[in-house]
Amino acid sequence: MRNPVLLLVGVLTLMVATTASAAVVEHTFNVQNLTVTRLCNRQLIVAVNGSFPGPRIRVREGDTLIVHVYNKSPYNLTVHWHGVYQKLSCWADGPNMITQCPILPGNKYTYKFKISGQEGTLWWHAHVSWLRATVHGALIIRPKSGHKYPFPKPHREVTIILGEWWNADVMDVEEEAVTSGGLPNISDAFTINGWPGDLYPCSQNHMYKLKVEPGKTYLLRIVNTALNGQLFYKIANHNLTVFAIDAAYTKPYVTDIIMIAPGQTVDALLVADQDIGSYYMAASPYSTSVGIPYDNNTTRGVVVYDGAPPIGKPLMPTLPAFSDTATAYKLSSSLKGLKDGPHWAQVPKNVDYKMFVTVGLGFTPCEANRTCLGPKGTKLSASMNNQSFVPPKRMSLLQAFYSNVDGIYTTDFPVKPPIEFDYTNATINNYNPAFLFAPKVTKVTKLKFNSTVEMVLQNTAIIAVENHPMHLHGSNFHVLAQGFGNYNPSKHREMFNLVDPQIRNTIGVPAGGWAVIRFTADNPGVWIMHCHLDAHLTYGLGTVFMVENGPTPETTLPLPPVDLPNC
C-alpha cells in the first residue's frame, strides 16, 4: 500500500501546479463612437477602446476571462466570444435575444467564463445587427505554461485580421436593406488589420506591413471578420503550412493560398525563405452568386524582409478568379484533424438525432401599400428547412428556457424540409412558390443532455448558388464529409471520415453542395446556429438548439448573473 502522506503531498502538489497554471485575465471594453479616416473620407464608426480593429485578448488554456463592457455607443450592444465553448457559462455567450438582452446605451455588463479544452485563434465581436463590422478583435489562446505547440516554435506570432469597410454608417446600410427588402449596399473596401492597402484611393500609406527576418518562422493567426466577404488570402512566392482551424489542431497542410469564410480562423506558419525583398500579401473575394453584386476589390498588405531596399515594387501574388470554387474548396476538403493531438475529440459513433437541413435564400411578401426592392417586388428572406428564424423581442430565449416561460418559442423545428425537391436545380426552384416563401417563426430544437446530433447541411439554388459559412455556438463539430449537388445517403455516407475529420465551429457549406457535421450536445443552454454572412442572418438564416440539463449539479446551467441586462 502506498504511503498516505506521500500520496497527500502528491495530490497537493498537483493542485498547486494546476492552480498556478491558470490565471484570471481581466479587460475593460469601452465601446463608443470613433472618427477614422479611410478612402479619402472621415467616417464615424463604433469601436472598442478607441482602436480598429479592437483589442487583442491573450489567454492560456485554463484561464478565466473577465471582460467589463461599457456601452457608450448610441446603439444596443452585445459581445460574442466566437468559438469559445462556454461550458456551463451560456449566459456569457452573447448573441442578442438568444442568450441575453442587449446592453442598452449608457449601461454595462460583465462577461465571465473559463477557457477550457481549446488552443489557437478565436475572436470576439458584436452580435447586434451589423456592429461587428468595426466592433471585433482577436482572442488568442496559448497552451498552458509548460505545454508546447504541436508544431515548430515560431520566432514571432502575427495576427492578420481580414475585414470589410463601408464609407457609410453600417447600421444605416443594414436598416435600409431591411426596410426596402433588397440587397444591402456592398462594401467599399476589404482591409488587412484595418487598412485597405494601396490599390484604393488615398490609401498609399494605409497599408499593413509585416517586417520579417530571413530564415525566421512566423505564426500567422488569420481571422476573417468581414460581414459578407469570403476571401482568398495569399502571399507572393510563399507557402503557408496550416496547423489549426477554428482553434482546433490539424495535420500540417502546405498551401500557397487560403480561402477563409467570415467567422473562420486559420493558424499557419510562414517561413521567410525567399530572396530579400518585398512581397505583397493580398485578399480578394470568392463569390458564386450570378447576378448578385459583391465587392470585387482586392486589399493588399506587404511582407518586407530586413535588408530589403526602401525603394522597389513588391511582388504581387496571382489570385484566383472570384468564382474559382475548385480553389476555394481545396483547402476545406483537404484538411484532417490532428488525431490524438492536444484536445483531440473522438468522433461520436452513436447518433441519437439525425437532421437534414436545407440552407438558402427566399422571399417574403411585401407589406400592403409598400414598394419593396426584392425580386418581383418582394422582400428578400432566408431560411433553414423553409423556416425563417425571428428572435424574440420581449425576453431572450435562454431566459425563457431557464425560467420555463411559455409563448416565446416553439420546439417544432423540422428535422427535414417540409417539401423534398431538387435542391440545387436553379431553373426549377426559382419558379416554384412552394420553395420560395418561408414563414417567419421562432422554432427551436430541444436536445437531451449528451445526445449526439448528425446534421446534413444542404445548400439550395433558390435565387443564388452560394457558399454559406454556418457557425454553431457552444460546441465544435466534426466535419464528416462535403460535396457538391444533392446529398445522397446511399452514396455519400461512404465518404464519411470517422477517424480524423477536421473539427470546426464554422463550416463553409460548398456552393451548390452539402456538408455533414456531427456534435455532442453536452453543454446545457441555448445555442444558435446561423449563417455568418450577416445579410443572411438578418434575413433569417438561423436556428436554435436548446440543450437540457444533465443529471448532476456539474452538468446543470447555473443561475443567471445578477447584472444580466433586462429587455
Side-chain angles (χ1 to χ4, degrees):
M1 182 175 179
R2 296 182 64 184
N3 187 320
V5 175
L6 292 178
L7 181 61
L8 177 61
V9 170
V11 171
L12 291 174
T13 301
L14 178 61
M15 290 174 63
V16 170
T18 302
T19 303
S21 66
V24 175
V25 179
E26 199 161 357
H27 287 263
T28 296
F29 279 9
N30 290 298
V31 186
Q32 57 195 32
N33 285 343
L34 175 71
T35 300
V36 298
T37 300
R38 295 290 188 277
L39 308 184
C40 316
N41 295 303
R42 287 175 60 79
Q43 180 65 46
L44 191 68
I45 65 173
V46 178
V48 176
N49 296 352
S51 64
F52 168 65
R56 180 171 49 218
I57 293 177
R58 295 185 179 92
V59 294
R60 290 190 180 275
E61 195 269 325
D63 287 352
T64 296
L65 180 60
I66 299 175
V67 183
H68 308 285
V69 177
Y70 291 83
N71 185 9
K72 302 175 182 179
S73 82
Y75 304 108
N76 291 348
L77 173 74
T78 65
V79 179
H80 170 52
W81 315 93
H82 185 110
V84 174
Y85 290 155
Q86 299 289 2
K87 283 294 176 70
L88 296 181
S89 56
C90 188
W91 300 104
D93 191 43
N96 180 43
M97 301 310 298
I98 306 301
T99 62
Q100 71 169 98
C101 298
I103 310 167
L104 301 179
N107 288 264
K108 70 174 285 286
Y109 178 58
T110 295
Y111 294 90
K112 180 179 179 180
F113 51 91
K114 186 175 182 179
I115 307 290
S116 181
Q118 296 177 278
E119 297 174 17
T121 305
L122 295 174
W123 62 300
W124 58 265
H125 61 82
H127 214 294
V128 173
S129 303
W130 280 28
L131 279 180
R132 80 169 172 90
T134 54
V135 179
H136 61 249
L139 200 170
I140 310 301
I141 308 171
R142 293 195 174 97
K144 289 181 179 178
S145 296
H147 293 233
K148 298 180 179 180
Y149 294 126
F151 51 78
K153 183 179 179 180
H155 170 67
R156 182 181 158 207
E157 299 184 12
V158 179
T159 303
I160 303 292
I161 293 183
L162 306 178
E164 206 165 4
W165 177 264
W166 276 261
N167 283 332
D169 185 320
V170 292
M171 300 294 278
D172 291 343
V173 173
E174 182 192 30
E175 179 61 28
E176 181 182 343
V178 170
T179 302
S180 71
L183 290 167
N185 291 335
I186 61 173
S187 55
D188 294 288
F190 294 111
T191 58
I192 299 176
N193 288 346
W195 301 108
D198 60 354
L199 289 175
Y200 294 97
C202 303
S203 302
Q204 188 65 34
N205 297 317
H206 285 181
M207 181 166 63
Y208 172 69
K209 293 183 180 180
L210 171 60
K211 294 183 178 181
V212 300
E213 297 179 36
K216 299 289 187 180
T217 299
Y218 297 81
L219 173 57
L220 303 188
R221 298 182 177 275
I222 308 167
V223 186
N224 186 349
T225 70
L227 291 190
N228 299 306
Q230 307 183 69
L231 296 168
F232 293 110
Y233 175 81
K234 191 172 184 179
I235 301 174
N237 268 28
H238 289 76
N239 284 331
L240 298 171
T241 304
V242 176
F243 279 95
I245 51 174
D246 294 356
Y249 291 118
T250 65
K251 292 181 179 178
Y253 182 81
V254 179
T255 179
D256 68 341
I257 190 166
I258 288 170
M259 201 290 281
I260 181 169
Q264 293 182 331
T265 69
V266 174
D267 289 356
L269 292 181
L270 165 70
V271 180
D273 57 1
Q274 296 301 301
D275 294 337
I276 292 176
S278 298
Y279 301 83
Y280 278 119
M281 63 171 69
S284 63
Y286 165 60
S287 177
T288 58
S289 301
V290 177
I292 293 181
Y294 62 95
D295 185 343
N296 63 358
N297 293 302
T298 298
T299 179
R300 295 200 299 202
V302 65
V303 176
V304 181
Y305 279 65
D306 278 357
I311 299 176
K313 189 170 181 61
L315 189 65
M316 178 67 182
T318 300
L319 293 164
F322 298 133
S323 59
D324 189 345
T325 293
T327 298
Y329 180 67
K330 185 176 181 181
L331 176 67
S332 176
S333 61
S334 300
L335 292 173
K336 296 183 183 299
L338 187 62
K339 188 174 185 291
D340 301 324
H343 312 297
W344 168 255
Q346 299 285 350
V347 182
K349 295 298 191 293
N350 297 318
V351 176
D352 303 298
Y353 203 80
K354 290 189 176 183
M355 305 179 72
F356 184 97
V357 180
T358 53
V359 177
L361 294 175
F363 305 137
T364 192
C366 188
E367 297 92 339
N369 301 317
R370 291 259 338 256
T371 299
C372 294
L373 300 182
K376 300 180 181 179
T378 64
K379 282 188 168 184
L380 280 172
S381 183
S383 66
M384 300 177 70
N385 273 356
N386 207 45
Q387 312 293 307
S388 187
F389 180 75
V390 178
K393 291 186 169 51
R394 64 184 179 91
M395 178 182 289
S396 75
L397 286 177
L398 180 56
Q399 186 72 63
F401 175 61
Y402 183 85
S403 303
N404 294 313
V405 177
D406 293 331
I408 305 297
Y409 61 87
T410 61
T411 58
D412 55 343
F413 181 82
V415 297
K416 62 181 181 179
I419 301 174
E420 294 185 9
F421 56 98
D422 187 355
Y423 307 110
T424 54
N425 188 327
T427 303
I428 295 175
N429 296 342
N430 286 339
Y431 294 96
N432 191 327
F435 307 150
L436 297 181
F437 293 88
K440 297 289 185 180
V441 296
T442 310
K443 293 185 177 183
V444 307
T445 300
K446 189 172 283 190
L447 299 172
K448 294 291 185 183
F449 177 78
N450 227 28
S451 59
T452 297
V453 179
E454 182 178 291
M455 178 185 289
V456 178
L457 291 163
Q458 173 70 62
N459 267 327
T460 64
I462 300 171
I463 300 179
V465 177
E466 297 181 305
N467 180 298
H468 289 107
M470 300 300 297
H471 170 51
L472 176 63
H473 291 222
S475 176
N476 280 353
F477 49 76
H478 292 90
V479 182
L480 303 186
Q482 305 169 68
F484 294 95
N486 295 331
Y487 175 75
N488 184 337
S490 62
K491 178 173 65 173
H492 293 140
R493 291 192 72 84
E494 298 177 0
M495 299 170 55
F496 282 15
N497 179 356
L498 300 175
V499 178
D500 58 356
Q502 58 185 277
I503 298 174
R504 303 209 73 128
N505 63 58
T506 306
I507 174 68
V509 182
W514 51 269
V516 182
I517 65 172
R518 191 180 291 182
F519 65 94
T520 300
D522 58 359
N523 193 4
V526 175
W527 310 105
I528 188 171
M529 183 182 203
H530 64 88
C531 182
H532 228 274
L533 303 177
D534 265 34
H536 293 50
L537 175 57
T538 299
Y539 295 139
L541 212 167
T543 190
V544 167
F545 295 100
M546 290 183 166
V547 181
E548 297 177 348
N549 284 325
T552 66
E554 292 76 23
T555 57
T556 299
L557 189 67
L559 290 168
V562 294
D563 62 340
L564 190 71
N566 294 316
C567 292

